PDB file of all heavy atoms in Angstrom:
ATOM      1  N   ALA A1274    -119.427  85.126 -20.423  1.00 78.00           N
ATOM      2  CA  ALA A1274    -120.482  84.426 -19.695  1.00 78.00           C
ATOM      3  C   ALA A1274    -121.230  83.508 -20.661  1.00 78.00           C
ATOM      4  O   ALA A1274    -121.345  83.814 -21.853  1.00 78.00           O
ATOM      5  CB  ALA A1274    -121.447  85.439 -19.081  1.00 78.00           C
ATOM      6  N   PRO A1275    -121.737  82.372 -20.183  1.00 81.00           N
ATOM      7  CA  PRO A1275    -122.390  81.403 -21.076  1.00 81.00           C
ATOM      8  C   PRO A1275    -123.495  81.996 -21.941  1.00 81.00           C
ATOM      9  O   PRO A1275    -123.622  81.638 -23.111  1.00 81.00           O
ATOM     10  CB  PRO A1275    -122.942  80.358 -20.098  1.00 81.00           C
ATOM     11  CG  PRO A1275    -122.020  80.429 -18.925  1.00 81.00           C
ATOM     12  CD  PRO A1275    -121.652  81.879 -18.799  1.00 81.00           C
ATOM     13  N   ASP A1276    -124.283  82.917 -21.384  1.00 84.00           N
ATOM     14  CA  ASP A1276    -125.387  83.473 -22.157  1.00 84.00           C
ATOM     15  C   ASP A1276    -124.926  84.495 -23.199  1.00 84.00           C
ATOM     16  O   ASP A1276    -125.710  84.915 -24.053  1.00 84.00           O
ATOM     17  CB  ASP A1276    -126.419  84.118 -21.226  1.00 84.00           C
ATOM     18  CG  ASP A1276    -125.820  85.227 -20.379  1.00 84.00           C
ATOM     19  OD1 ASP A1276    -124.613  85.151 -20.076  1.00 84.00           O
ATOM     20  OD2 ASP A1276    -126.554  86.165 -20.024  1.00 84.00           O
ATOM     21  N   GLU A1277    -123.656  84.901 -23.148  1.00 85.00           N
ATOM     22  CA  GLU A1277    -123.125  85.861 -24.115  1.00 85.00           C
ATOM     23  C   GLU A1277    -122.240  85.196 -25.162  1.00 85.00           C
ATOM     24  O   GLU A1277    -121.897  85.805 -26.171  1.00 85.00           O
ATOM     25  CB  GLU A1277    -122.292  86.934 -23.397  1.00 85.00           C
ATOM     26  CG  GLU A1277    -123.074  87.828 -22.456  1.00 85.00           C
ATOM     27  CD  GLU A1277    -122.167  88.813 -21.746  1.00 85.00           C
ATOM     28  OE1 GLU A1277    -120.940  88.539 -21.663  1.00 85.00           O
ATOM     29  OE2 GLU A1277    -122.667  89.845 -21.271  1.00 85.00           O
ATOM     30  N   ARG A1278    -121.870  83.946 -24.914  1.00 83.00           N
ATOM     31  CA  ARG A1278    -120.813  83.315 -25.695  1.00 83.00           C
ATOM     32  C   ARG A1278    -121.172  83.155 -27.171  1.00 83.00           C
ATOM     33  O   ARG A1278    -120.359  83.426 -28.055  1.00 83.00           O
ATOM     34  CB  ARG A1278    -120.469  81.965 -25.063  1.00 83.00           C
ATOM     35  CG  ARG A1278    -119.063  81.486 -25.343  1.00 83.00           C
ATOM     36  CD  ARG A1278    -118.700  80.337 -24.419  1.00 83.00           C
ATOM     37  NE  ARG A1278    -118.535  80.794 -23.046  1.00 83.00           N
ATOM     38  CZ  ARG A1278    -118.644  80.018 -21.981  1.00 83.00           C
ATOM     39  NH1 ARG A1278    -118.952  78.747 -22.132  1.00 83.00           N
ATOM     40  NH2 ARG A1278    -118.465  80.501 -20.772  1.00 83.00           N
ATOM     41  N   GLU A1279    -122.398  82.736 -27.454  1.00 85.00           N
ATOM     42  CA  GLU A1279    -122.788  82.484 -28.839  1.00 85.00           C
ATOM     43  C   GLU A1279    -122.802  83.767 -29.661  1.00 85.00           C
ATOM     44  O   GLU A1279    -122.270  83.817 -30.777  1.00 85.00           O
ATOM     45  CB  GLU A1279    -124.173  81.824 -28.879  1.00 85.00           C
ATOM     46  CG  GLU A1279    -124.641  81.433 -30.280  1.00 85.00           C
ATOM     47  CD  GLU A1279    -123.767  80.372 -30.920  1.00 85.00           C
ATOM     48  OE1 GLU A1279    -123.146  79.576 -30.181  1.00 85.00           O
ATOM     49  OE2 GLU A1279    -123.682  80.344 -32.164  1.00 85.00           O
ATOM     50  N   SER A1280    -123.396  84.816 -29.112  1.00 90.00           N
ATOM     51  CA  SER A1280    -123.450  86.086 -29.846  1.00 90.00           C
ATOM     52  C   SER A1280    -122.056  86.686 -30.001  1.00 90.00           C
ATOM     53  O   SER A1280    -121.734  87.276 -31.039  1.00 90.00           O
ATOM     54  CB  SER A1280    -124.372  87.075 -29.131  1.00 90.00           C
ATOM     55  OG  SER A1280    -123.877  87.393 -27.844  1.00 90.00           O
ATOM     56  N   LEU A1281    -121.224  86.531 -28.970  1.00 90.00           N
ATOM     57  CA  LEU A1281    -119.866  87.059 -29.050  1.00 90.00           C
ATOM     58  C   LEU A1281    -119.070  86.328 -30.122  1.00 90.00           C
ATOM     59  O   LEU A1281    -118.301  86.944 -30.874  1.00 90.00           O
ATOM     60  CB  LEU A1281    -119.175  86.929 -27.691  1.00 90.00           C
ATOM     61  CG  LEU A1281    -117.774  87.552 -27.585  1.00 90.00           C
ATOM     62  CD1 LEU A1281    -117.833  89.051 -27.835  1.00 90.00           C
ATOM     63  CD2 LEU A1281    -117.163  87.268 -26.213  1.00 90.00           C
ATOM     64  N   TYR A1282    -119.270  85.022 -30.209  1.00 87.00           N
ATOM     65  CA  TYR A1282    -118.588  84.230 -31.238  1.00 87.00           C
ATOM     66  C   TYR A1282    -118.940  84.740 -32.636  1.00 87.00           C
ATOM     67  O   TYR A1282    -118.058  84.919 -33.490  1.00 87.00           O
ATOM     68  CB  TYR A1282    -118.979  82.759 -31.102  1.00 87.00           C
ATOM     69  CG  TYR A1282    -118.569  81.896 -32.275  1.00 87.00           C
ATOM     70  CD1 TYR A1282    -117.265  81.414 -32.388  1.00 87.00           C
ATOM     71  CD2 TYR A1282    -119.484  81.581 -33.279  1.00 87.00           C
ATOM     72  CE1 TYR A1282    -116.892  80.637 -33.467  1.00 87.00           C
ATOM     73  CE2 TYR A1282    -119.117  80.807 -34.360  1.00 87.00           C
ATOM     74  CZ  TYR A1282    -117.817  80.333 -34.452  1.00 87.00           C
ATOM     75  OH  TYR A1282    -117.448  79.573 -35.525  1.00 87.00           O
ATOM     76  N   LYS A1283    -120.215  84.995 -32.881  1.00 90.00           N
ATOM     77  CA  LYS A1283    -120.652  85.448 -34.203  1.00 90.00           C
ATOM     78  C   LYS A1283    -120.077  86.826 -34.532  1.00 90.00           C
ATOM     79  O   LYS A1283    -119.661  87.084 -35.666  1.00 90.00           O
ATOM     80  CB  LYS A1283    -122.179  85.488 -34.260  1.00 90.00           C
ATOM     81  CG  LYS A1283    -122.828  84.103 -34.199  1.00 90.00           C
ATOM     82  CD  LYS A1283    -124.346  84.198 -34.210  1.00 90.00           C
ATOM     83  CE  LYS A1283    -124.976  82.811 -34.152  1.00 90.00           C
ATOM     84  NZ  LYS A1283    -126.468  82.884 -34.112  1.00 90.00           N
ATOM     85  N   ARG A1284    -120.027  87.689 -33.534  1.00 93.00           N
ATOM     86  CA  ARG A1284    -119.494  89.036 -33.769  1.00 93.00           C
ATOM     87  C   ARG A1284    -117.980  88.994 -33.992  1.00 93.00           C
ATOM     88  O   ARG A1284    -117.443  89.741 -34.811  1.00 93.00           O
ATOM     89  CB  ARG A1284    -119.856  89.941 -32.591  1.00 93.00           C
ATOM     90  CG  ARG A1284    -121.366  90.133 -32.429  1.00 93.00           C
ATOM     91  CD  ARG A1284    -121.707  90.880 -31.160  1.00 93.00           C
ATOM     92  NE  ARG A1284    -121.402  92.298 -31.278  1.00 93.00           N
ATOM     93  CZ  ARG A1284    -121.481  93.156 -30.261  1.00 93.00           C
ATOM     94  NH1 ARG A1284    -121.835  92.717 -29.057  1.00 93.00           N
ATOM     95  NH2 ARG A1284    -121.199  94.424 -30.436  1.00 93.00           N
ATOM     96  N   PHE A1285    -117.302  88.119 -33.281  1.00 91.00           N
ATOM     97  CA  PHE A1285    -115.871  87.939 -33.513  1.00 91.00           C
ATOM     98  C   PHE A1285    -115.622  87.410 -34.924  1.00 91.00           C
ATOM     99  O   PHE A1285    -114.656  87.799 -35.588  1.00 91.00           O
ATOM    100  CB  PHE A1285    -115.283  86.963 -32.484  1.00 91.00           C
ATOM    101  CG  PHE A1285    -114.509  87.637 -31.388  1.00 91.00           C
ATOM    102  CD1 PHE A1285    -115.165  88.154 -30.277  1.00 91.00           C
ATOM    103  CD2 PHE A1285    -113.140  87.763 -31.454  1.00 91.00           C
ATOM    104  CE1 PHE A1285    -114.466  88.778 -29.263  1.00 91.00           C
ATOM    105  CE2 PHE A1285    -112.424  88.385 -30.445  1.00 91.00           C
ATOM    106  CZ  PHE A1285    -113.086  88.896 -29.342  1.00 91.00           C
ATOM    107  N   LEU A1286    -116.489  86.519 -35.366  1.00 88.00           N
ATOM    108  CA  LEU A1286    -116.342  85.921 -36.693  1.00 88.00           C
ATOM    109  C   LEU A1286    -116.469  86.990 -37.780  1.00 88.00           C
ATOM    110  O   LEU A1286    -115.673  87.026 -38.731  1.00 88.00           O
ATOM    111  CB  LEU A1286    -117.396  84.833 -36.886  1.00 88.00           C
ATOM    112  CG  LEU A1286    -117.205  83.877 -38.066  1.00 88.00           C
ATOM    113  CD1 LEU A1286    -115.894  83.126 -37.943  1.00 88.00           C
ATOM    114  CD2 LEU A1286    -118.377  82.903 -38.138  1.00 88.00           C
ATOM    115  N   ILE A1287    -117.441  87.865 -37.632  1.00 92.00           N
ATOM    116  CA  ILE A1287    -117.633  88.941 -38.611  1.00 92.00           C
ATOM    117  C   ILE A1287    -116.438  89.893 -38.601  1.00 92.00           C
ATOM    118  O   ILE A1287    -115.899  90.260 -39.654  1.00 92.00           O
ATOM    119  CB  ILE A1287    -118.939  89.710 -38.312  1.00 92.00           C
ATOM    120  CG1 ILE A1287    -120.155  88.793 -38.520  1.00 92.00           C
ATOM    121  CG2 ILE A1287    -119.048  90.946 -39.197  1.00 92.00           C
ATOM    122  CD1 ILE A1287    -121.462  89.399 -38.047  1.00 92.00           C
ATOM    123  N   TYR A1288    -116.011  90.275 -37.406  1.00 94.00           N
ATOM    124  CA  TYR A1288    -114.886  91.213 -37.297  1.00 94.00           C
ATOM    125  C   TYR A1288    -113.609  90.608 -37.885  1.00 94.00           C
ATOM    126  O   TYR A1288    -112.878  91.278 -38.625  1.00 94.00           O
ATOM    127  CB  TYR A1288    -114.664  91.591 -35.833  1.00 94.00           C
ATOM    128  CG  TYR A1288    -113.467  92.494 -35.619  1.00 94.00           C
ATOM    129  CD1 TYR A1288    -113.546  93.854 -35.897  1.00 94.00           C
ATOM    130  CD2 TYR A1288    -112.260  91.987 -35.152  1.00 94.00           C
ATOM    131  CE1 TYR A1288    -112.448  94.686 -35.715  1.00 94.00           C
ATOM    132  CE2 TYR A1288    -111.160  92.807 -34.965  1.00 94.00           C
ATOM    133  CZ  TYR A1288    -111.257  94.152 -35.250  1.00 94.00           C
ATOM    134  OH  TYR A1288    -110.167  94.968 -35.069  1.00 94.00           O
ATOM    135  N   SER A1289    -113.339  89.349 -37.569  1.00 90.00           N
ATOM    136  CA  SER A1289    -112.113  88.720 -38.066  1.00 90.00           C
ATOM    137  C   SER A1289    -112.138  88.580 -39.585  1.00 90.00           C
ATOM    138  O   SER A1289    -111.100  88.700 -40.243  1.00 90.00           O
ATOM    139  CB  SER A1289    -111.906  87.354 -37.409  1.00 90.00           C
ATOM    140  OG  SER A1289    -112.962  86.466 -37.729  1.00 90.00           O
ATOM    141  N   GLY A1290    -113.330  88.341 -40.152  1.00 90.00           N
ATOM    142  CA  GLY A1290    -113.434  88.283 -41.607  1.00 90.00           C
ATOM    143  C   GLY A1290    -113.057  89.610 -42.243  1.00 90.00           C
ATOM    144  O   GLY A1290    -112.354  89.654 -43.266  1.00 90.00           O
ATOM    145  N   LEU A1291    -113.508  90.697 -41.634  1.00 94.00           N
ATOM    146  CA  LEU A1291    -113.153  92.026 -42.135  1.00 94.00           C
ATOM    147  C   LEU A1291    -111.657  92.292 -41.990  1.00 94.00           C
ATOM    148  O   LEU A1291    -111.035  92.912 -42.863  1.00 94.00           O
ATOM    149  CB  LEU A1291    -113.953  93.093 -41.378  1.00 94.00           C
ATOM    150  CG  LEU A1291    -115.470  93.091 -41.617  1.00 94.00           C
ATOM    151  CD1 LEU A1291    -116.159  94.089 -40.686  1.00 94.00           C
ATOM    152  CD2 LEU A1291    -115.780  93.432 -43.077  1.00 94.00           C
ATOM    153  N   VAL A1292    -111.076  91.811 -40.891  1.00 94.00           N
ATOM    154  CA  VAL A1292    -109.640  92.016 -40.671  1.00 94.00           C
ATOM    155  C   VAL A1292    -108.815  91.244 -41.699  1.00 94.00           C
ATOM    156  O   VAL A1292    -107.838  91.767 -42.249  1.00 94.00           O
ATOM    157  CB  VAL A1292    -109.247  91.600 -39.238  1.00 94.00           C
ATOM    158  CG1 VAL A1292    -107.727  91.562 -39.082  1.00 94.00           C
ATOM    159  CG2 VAL A1292    -109.839  92.571 -38.227  1.00 94.00           C
ATOM    160  N   VAL A1293    -109.194  90.001 -41.973  1.00 91.00           N
ATOM    161  CA  VAL A1293    -108.473  89.216 -42.982  1.00 91.00           C
ATOM    162  C   VAL A1293    -108.589  89.878 -44.351  1.00 91.00           C
ATOM    163  O   VAL A1293    -107.633  89.891 -45.140  1.00 91.00           O
ATOM    164  CB  VAL A1293    -109.018  87.774 -43.035  1.00 91.00           C
ATOM    165  CG1 VAL A1293    -108.421  87.015 -44.221  1.00 91.00           C
ATOM    166  CG2 VAL A1293    -108.710  87.039 -41.741  1.00 91.00           C
ATOM    167  N   LEU A1294    -109.746  90.460 -44.622  1.00 94.00           N
ATOM    168  CA  LEU A1294    -109.987  91.074 -45.926  1.00 94.00           C
ATOM    169  C   LEU A1294    -109.258  92.408 -46.085  1.00 94.00           C
ATOM    170  O   LEU A1294    -108.674  92.687 -47.143  1.00 94.00           O
ATOM    171  CB  LEU A1294    -111.495  91.278 -46.119  1.00 94.00           C
ATOM    172  CG  LEU A1294    -111.962  91.745 -47.505  1.00 94.00           C
ATOM    173  CD1 LEU A1294    -111.578  90.717 -48.572  1.00 94.00           C
ATOM    174  CD2 LEU A1294    -113.464  91.986 -47.506  1.00 94.00           C
ATOM    175  N   PHE A1295    -109.277  93.227 -45.027  1.00 95.00           N
ATOM    176  CA  PHE A1295    -108.747  94.584 -45.160  1.00 95.00           C
ATOM    177  C   PHE A1295    -107.458  94.841 -44.373  1.00 95.00           C
ATOM    178  O   PHE A1295    -106.776  95.839 -44.632  1.00 95.00           O
ATOM    179  CB  PHE A1295    -109.807  95.604 -44.709  1.00 95.00           C
ATOM    180  CG  PHE A1295    -111.029  95.621 -45.578  1.00 95.00           C
ATOM    181  CD1 PHE A1295    -112.238  95.123 -45.106  1.00 95.00           C
ATOM    182  CD2 PHE A1295    -110.978  96.114 -46.873  1.00 95.00           C
ATOM    183  CE1 PHE A1295    -113.373  95.132 -45.902  1.00 95.00           C
ATOM    184  CE2 PHE A1295    -112.107  96.126 -47.678  1.00 95.00           C
ATOM    185  CZ  PHE A1295    -113.310  95.634 -47.196  1.00 95.00           C
ATOM    186  N   GLY A1296    -107.120  93.976 -43.409  1.00 94.00           N
ATOM    187  CA  GLY A1296    -105.933  94.204 -42.590  1.00 94.00           C
ATOM    188  C   GLY A1296    -104.642  94.285 -43.393  1.00 94.00           C
ATOM    189  O   GLY A1296    -103.897  95.274 -43.287  1.00 94.00           O
ATOM    190  N   PRO A1297    -104.325  93.269 -44.212  1.00 94.00           N
ATOM    191  CA  PRO A1297    -103.107  93.344 -45.027  1.00 94.00           C
ATOM    192  C   PRO A1297    -103.102  94.541 -45.973  1.00 94.00           C
ATOM    193  O   PRO A1297    -102.054  95.161 -46.194  1.00 94.00           O
ATOM    194  CB  PRO A1297    -103.125  92.023 -45.803  1.00 94.00           C
ATOM    195  CG  PRO A1297    -103.914  91.091 -44.940  1.00 94.00           C
ATOM    196  CD  PRO A1297    -104.980  91.956 -44.334  1.00 94.00           C
ATOM    197  N   LEU A1298    -104.271  94.870 -46.521  1.00 95.00           N
ATOM    198  CA  LEU A1298    -104.364  96.021 -47.423  1.00 95.00           C
ATOM    199  C   LEU A1298    -104.041  97.316 -46.683  1.00 95.00           C
ATOM    200  O   LEU A1298    -103.292  98.171 -47.190  1.00 95.00           O
ATOM    201  CB  LEU A1298    -105.769  96.090 -48.024  1.00 95.00           C
ATOM    202  CG  LEU A1298    -106.055  97.292 -48.945  1.00 95.00           C
ATOM    203  CD1 LEU A1298    -105.156  97.250 -50.177  1.00 95.00           C
ATOM    204  CD2 LEU A1298    -107.532  97.316 -49.352  1.00 95.00           C
ATOM    205  N   LEU A1299    -104.577  97.465 -45.476  1.00 95.00           N
ATOM    206  CA  LEU A1299    -104.319  98.671 -44.692  1.00 95.00           C
ATOM    207  C   LEU A1299    -102.841  98.768 -44.313  1.00 95.00           C
ATOM    208  O   LEU A1299    -102.238  99.850 -44.398  1.00 95.00           O
ATOM    209  CB  LEU A1299    -105.193  98.665 -43.432  1.00 95.00           C
ATOM    210  CG  LEU A1299    -105.066  99.883 -42.502  1.00 95.00           C
ATOM    211  CD1 LEU A1299    -105.408 101.166 -43.250  1.00 95.00           C
ATOM    212  CD2 LEU A1299    -105.969  99.715 -41.280  1.00 95.00           C
ATOM    213  N   ALA A1300    -102.251  97.644 -43.900  1.00 95.00           N
ATOM    214  CA  ALA A1300    -100.826  97.642 -43.556  1.00 95.00           C
ATOM    215  C   ALA A1300     -99.977  98.024 -44.767  1.00 95.00           C
ATOM    216  O   ALA A1300     -99.007  98.781 -44.656  1.00 95.00           O
ATOM    217  CB  ALA A1300    -100.420  96.264 -43.031  1.00 95.00           C
ATOM    218  N   TRP A1301    -100.348  97.507 -45.926  1.00 95.00           N
ATOM    219  CA  TRP A1301     -99.633  97.813 -47.176  1.00 95.00           C
ATOM    220  C   TRP A1301     -99.761  99.292 -47.531  1.00 95.00           C
ATOM    221  O   TRP A1301     -98.781  99.944 -47.899  1.00 95.00           O
ATOM    222  CB  TRP A1301    -100.209  96.921 -48.275  1.00 95.00           C
ATOM    223  CG  TRP A1301     -99.677  97.128 -49.656  1.00 95.00           C
ATOM    224  CD1 TRP A1301     -98.479  96.710 -50.153  1.00 95.00           C
ATOM    225  CD2 TRP A1301    -100.356  97.785 -50.751  1.00 95.00           C
ATOM    226  NE1 TRP A1301     -98.360  97.055 -51.477  1.00 95.00           N
ATOM    227  CE2 TRP A1301     -99.498  97.716 -51.870  1.00 95.00           C
ATOM    228  CE3 TRP A1301    -101.597  98.402 -50.885  1.00 95.00           C
ATOM    229  CZ2 TRP A1301     -99.849  98.250 -53.109  1.00 95.00           C
ATOM    230  CZ3 TRP A1301    -101.947  98.935 -52.109  1.00 95.00           C
ATOM    231  CH2 TRP A1301    -101.080  98.856 -53.204  1.00 95.00           C
ATOM    232  N   LEU A1302    -100.973  99.829 -47.391  1.00 95.00           N
ATOM    233  CA  LEU A1302    -101.201 101.238 -47.721  1.00 95.00           C
ATOM    234  C   LEU A1302    -100.443 102.180 -46.779  1.00 95.00           C
ATOM    235  O   LEU A1302     -99.933 103.224 -47.197  1.00 95.00           O
ATOM    236  CB  LEU A1302    -102.702 101.553 -47.657  1.00 95.00           C
ATOM    237  CG  LEU A1302    -103.568 101.000 -48.792  1.00 95.00           C
ATOM    238  CD1 LEU A1302    -105.046 101.226 -48.495  1.00 95.00           C
ATOM    239  CD2 LEU A1302    -103.189 101.639 -50.125  1.00 95.00           C
ATOM    240  N   LEU A1303    -100.365 101.808 -45.515  1.00 94.00           N
ATOM    241  CA  LEU A1303     -99.728 102.681 -44.533  1.00 94.00           C
ATOM    242  C   LEU A1303     -98.206 102.572 -44.515  1.00 94.00           C
ATOM    243  O   LEU A1303     -97.509 103.571 -44.278  1.00 94.00           O
ATOM    244  CB  LEU A1303    -100.268 102.370 -43.129  1.00 94.00           C
ATOM    245  CG  LEU A1303    -101.736 102.710 -42.856  1.00 94.00           C
ATOM    246  CD1 LEU A1303    -102.135 102.252 -41.460  1.00 94.00           C
ATOM    247  CD2 LEU A1303    -101.981 104.208 -43.007  1.00 94.00           C
ATOM    248  N   LEU A1304     -97.689 101.367 -44.767  1.00 94.00           N
ATOM    249  CA  LEU A1304     -96.264 101.136 -44.541  1.00 94.00           C
ATOM    250  C   LEU A1304     -95.440 100.913 -45.803  1.00 94.00           C
ATOM    251  O   LEU A1304     -94.235 101.186 -45.807  1.00 94.00           O
ATOM    252  CB  LEU A1304     -96.089  99.922 -43.614  1.00 94.00           C
ATOM    253  CG  LEU A1304     -96.770 100.030 -42.248  1.00 94.00           C
ATOM    254  CD1 LEU A1304     -96.648  98.723 -41.489  1.00 94.00           C
ATOM    255  CD2 LEU A1304     -96.172 101.173 -41.443  1.00 94.00           C
ATOM    256  N   VAL A1305     -96.067 100.420 -46.863  1.00 93.00           N
ATOM    257  CA  VAL A1305     -95.308 100.103 -48.075  1.00 93.00           C
ATOM    258  C   VAL A1305     -95.467 101.179 -49.143  1.00 93.00           C
ATOM    259  O   VAL A1305     -94.478 101.682 -49.691  1.00 93.00           O
ATOM    260  CB  VAL A1305     -95.737  98.731 -48.649  1.00 93.00           C
ATOM    261  CG1 VAL A1305     -94.927  98.413 -49.909  1.00 93.00           C
ATOM    262  CG2 VAL A1305     -95.545  97.637 -47.609  1.00 93.00           C
ATOM    263  N   VAL A1306     -96.695 101.547 -49.433  1.00 92.00           N
ATOM    264  CA  VAL A1306     -96.963 102.498 -50.520  1.00 92.00           C
ATOM    265  C   VAL A1306     -96.281 103.852 -50.308  1.00 92.00           C
ATOM    266  O   VAL A1306     -95.654 104.379 -51.238  1.00 92.00           O
ATOM    267  CB  VAL A1306     -98.488 102.682 -50.711  1.00 92.00           C
ATOM    268  CG1 VAL A1306     -98.769 103.780 -51.731  1.00 92.00           C
ATOM    269  CG2 VAL A1306     -99.120 101.370 -51.159  1.00 92.00           C
ATOM    270  N   PRO A1307     -96.351 104.452 -49.106  1.00 90.00           N
ATOM    271  CA  PRO A1307     -95.710 105.769 -48.935  1.00 90.00           C
ATOM    272  C   PRO A1307     -94.191 105.730 -49.085  1.00 90.00           C
ATOM    273  O   PRO A1307     -93.576 106.744 -49.421  1.00 90.00           O
ATOM    274  CB  PRO A1307     -96.106 106.169 -47.509  1.00 90.00           C
ATOM    275  CG  PRO A1307     -97.301 105.348 -47.187  1.00 90.00           C
ATOM    276  CD  PRO A1307     -97.089 104.051 -47.898  1.00 90.00           C
ATOM    277  N   GLY A1308     -93.580 104.578 -48.805  1.00 85.00           N
ATOM    278  CA  GLY A1308     -92.129 104.455 -48.930  1.00 85.00           C
ATOM    279  C   GLY A1308     -91.346 105.219 -47.885  1.00 85.00           C
ATOM    280  O   GLY A1308     -90.177 105.551 -48.089  1.00 85.00           O
ATOM    281  N   TRP A1309     -91.979 105.503 -46.752  1.00 83.00           N
ATOM    282  CA  TRP A1309     -91.298 106.298 -45.724  1.00 83.00           C
ATOM    283  C   TRP A1309     -90.437 105.461 -44.794  1.00 83.00           C
ATOM    284  O   TRP A1309     -89.690 106.006 -43.982  1.00 83.00           O
ATOM    285  CB  TRP A1309     -92.307 107.096 -44.912  1.00 83.00           C
ATOM    286  CG  TRP A1309     -93.369 106.283 -44.230  1.00 83.00           C
ATOM    287  CD1 TRP A1309     -94.516 105.809 -44.784  1.00 83.00           C
ATOM    288  CD2 TRP A1309     -93.380 105.854 -42.869  1.00 83.00           C
ATOM    289  NE1 TRP A1309     -95.247 105.099 -43.861  1.00 83.00           N
ATOM    290  CE2 TRP A1309     -94.574 105.114 -42.669  1.00 83.00           C
ATOM    291  CE3 TRP A1309     -92.503 106.019 -41.794  1.00 83.00           C
ATOM    292  CZ2 TRP A1309     -94.898 104.539 -41.453  1.00 83.00           C
ATOM    293  CZ3 TRP A1309     -92.833 105.449 -40.575  1.00 83.00           C
ATOM    294  CH2 TRP A1309     -94.015 104.723 -40.415  1.00 83.00           C
TER     295      TRP A1309
END
Side-chain angles (χ1 to χ4, degrees):
D1276 59 331
E1277 295 177 338
R1278 206 166 290 157
E1279 184 64 27
S1280 63
L1281 185 61
Y1282 168 81
K1283 292 178 180 178
R1284 297 173 75 187
F1285 257 84
L1286 194 60
I1287 294 171
Y1288 177 78
S1289 62
L1291 293 173
V1292 169
V1293 171
L1294 188 61
F1295 295 109
L1298 177 63
L1299 181 59
W1301 176 77
L1302 287 172
L1303 292 176
L1304 302 174
V1305 180
V1306 174
W1309 58 278

